[in-house]
Amino acid sequence: MLVAAAVCPCPPLLVPQVAAGAAPELDAARAACTDALGVLAAARPDLLVVVGPAEEGGHGTYAEGTPGSFRGFGVDADVRLGAESAEEPQRALPTSLAVAAWLLERTAWSDAPIEGLGLGEPLDAERCIDIGRDIAARADRVALLVMGDASACRTLKAPGYLDERAAPFDASVARALGKADVAALKELDTELARELKASGRASWQVLAGAAEEAGLAGALLYEDAPYGVGYLVATWS
């Protein structure tokens, strides 16, 4: 059963080495993510599952100990998802899960075993919800770390250019996450999310499936779009 969830954005710029001189611009987001992971630890889960968007070929599960890297962003920075494993990983973490691994290392996570799940597009809402239900049934006390960004179309300089639909879409997601509104997340417009380049849509709908019977309360810890991309941090507990 799901006992807690933390929702965090997944830009590589969260990692200070990647952001370099711009690192202070996301200090508030980093602090909110740290607070969110504290809620997960306080729930004393038996299992932590990390879900996030995956690049092409990155769909599927990642065992504890899987390495990740930010070398593709020009920095010599490596991470690992949880404790080192004796088994040789078949592939490296997708970027979203590498950012999650960095957040977990930063907070010295040691409260429960970890598994990763990369969500490749396209995944429709029902499939995401079913995945969430399966995750919630994995253990008596399951926690979710849910990675993903909101729209990438908030300003003229945003990766997806300015789209007037982006701010209202992000606001609706922020309300749903802040209120732990399972129904609202289930009903997100998947096509609109795709057009607005909202990478977190599938992850949020996995959360909705996992939380169906949990009766959790939500709290929105951070909401901003510093680079024209919506970043949200929330907790459910």
Side-chain angles (χ1 to χ4, degrees):
M1 182 176 179
L2 187 71
V3 294
V7 178
C8 295
C10 58
L13 289 173
L14 270 182
V15 180
Q17 297 98 309
V18 176
E25 295 175 13
L26 288 180
D27 279 348
R30 294 184 193 99
C33 290
T34 297
D35 291 343
L37 265 62
V39 171
L40 296 186
R44 299 187 177 278
D46 302 319
L47 173 67
L48 173 64
V49 179
V50 184
V51 299
E55 301 86 0
E56 184 176 353
H59 180 80
T61 59
Y62 293 82
E64 183 159 14
T66 300
S69 172
F70 298 101
R71 295 174 188 270
F73 300 95
V75 297
D76 185 12
D78 298 316
V79 291
R80 188 177 301 276
L81 188 65
E84 188 170 358
S85 172
E87 297 184 12
E88 188 68 26
Q90 299 299 308
R91 53 185 176 167
L93 296 170
T95 301
S96 68
L97 299 191
V99 173
W102 178 82
L103 289 172
L104 290 164
E105 288 184 0
R106 185 170 182 257
T107 55
W109 178 272
S110 61
D111 298 88
I114 305 173
E115 294 179 7
L117 177 62
L119 303 171
E121 291 287 358
L123 284 177
D124 63 31
E126 281 305 316
R127 177 64 180 135
C128 294
I129 291 164
D130 285 343
I131 289 171
R133 290 168 179 152
D134 290 343
I135 290 173
R138 291 285 313 281
D140 288 340
R141 299 182 63 80
V142 176
L144 266 177
L145 175 51
V146 181
M147 307 298 293
D149 300 337
S151 73
C153 304
R154 293 280 293 272
T155 66
L156 292 174
K157 294 184 178 181
Y161 197 65
L162 176 65
D163 190 313
E164 298 296 339
R165 302 171 297 173
F169 175 85
D170 289 356
S172 69
V173 174
R175 284 193 300 271
L177 292 174
K179 295 180 179 179
D181 190 336
V182 168
L185 292 182
K186 286 182 177 181
E187 294 167 4
L188 285 176
D189 186 330
T190 57
E191 181 61 23
L192 177 59
R194 185 190 65 78
E195 292 174 1
L196 296 176
K197 304 183 185 302
S199 71
R201 189 275 306 171
S203 299
W204 303 327
Q205 290 185 318
V206 168
L207 169 60
E212 281 179 333
E213 307 296 330
L216 302 178
L220 186 65
L221 306 186
Y222 178 88
E223 178 185 7
D224 203 356
Y227 304 110
V229 181
Y231 298 149
L232 302 167
V233 181
T235 58
W236 291 20
S237 61

